[in-house]
Amino acid sequence: MAKISFLKMHGIGNDFIVIPDFESRVPAISPEQARLWCDRRFGVGADQILWLRPAQGTAADARMEIINADGSIAEMCGNGIRAAGIYLFDHGPRSAQPKYRIETLAGILSVEVRDRSVTVNMGAPVLGG
């Protein structure tokens, strides 16, 4: 098995395994791997894996793929995108007003980091089935 670099991050009660993969070197993460890595007794322990990758032909700065601890795929996570914003702030290009566009399964969302506080424009809520 290849070595995979990761960070452990948390936000308001959720914890994440963050895998920065902007060179697209990490092979597909199987549901079985996700369950093992997120296991709190035998793995790293996390609610979700945040796989940060290059955006797919969009104007976004990055793409965030979210894998739940049970191996299923999540469309979006508010605390997760905040963690991704802090990661980009800490490891990406710095600017006076760091704003990032992050591609998710819920669309491209805008994230702004100010004094290590992160705000996300998640759009209008969609209610009902």
Side-chain angles (χ1 to χ4, degrees):
M1 177 185 265
K3 290 184 179 182
I4 297 175
S5 297
F6 70 92
L7 292 90
K8 182 81 184 270
M9 298 180 79
H10 67 89
I12 312 176
N14 293 121
D15 61 335
F16 309 101
I17 297 169
V18 179
I19 301 174
D21 186 27
F22 294 103
E23 302 296 323
S24 298
R25 294 184 180 166
V26 175
I29 298 170
S30 71
E32 294 79 19
Q33 287 172 311
R35 286 192 291 272
L36 177 64
W37 296 348
C38 292
D39 188 285
R40 296 192 184 281
R41 291 190 179 103
F42 297 104
V44 175
D47 294 315
Q48 294 174 318
I49 296 169
L50 306 179
W51 194 1
L52 303 180
R53 307 179 75 193
Q56 292 183 328
T58 66
D61 299 294
R63 181 171 88 235
M64 178 178 72
E65 296 180 15
I66 306 168
I67 306 168
N68 292 319
D70 66 2
S72 64
I73 302 298
E75 185 175 87
M76 206 0 240
C77 174
N79 287 335
I81 199 164
R82 292 174 61 247
I86 286 290
Y87 178 86
L88 292 172
F89 177 77
D90 287 344
H91 300 282
R94 292 291 175 112
S95 66
Q97 293 185 0
K99 295 180 181 179
Y100 306 99
R101 292 173 44 84
I102 300 175
E103 181 182 332
T104 71
L105 290 178
I108 297 174
L109 302 176
S110 298
V111 176
E112 184 173 358
V113 181
R114 231 183 259 190
D115 298 323
R116 302 211 47 90
S117 178
V118 183
T119 56
V120 180
N121 180 354
M122 294 180 60
V126 177
L127 304 174

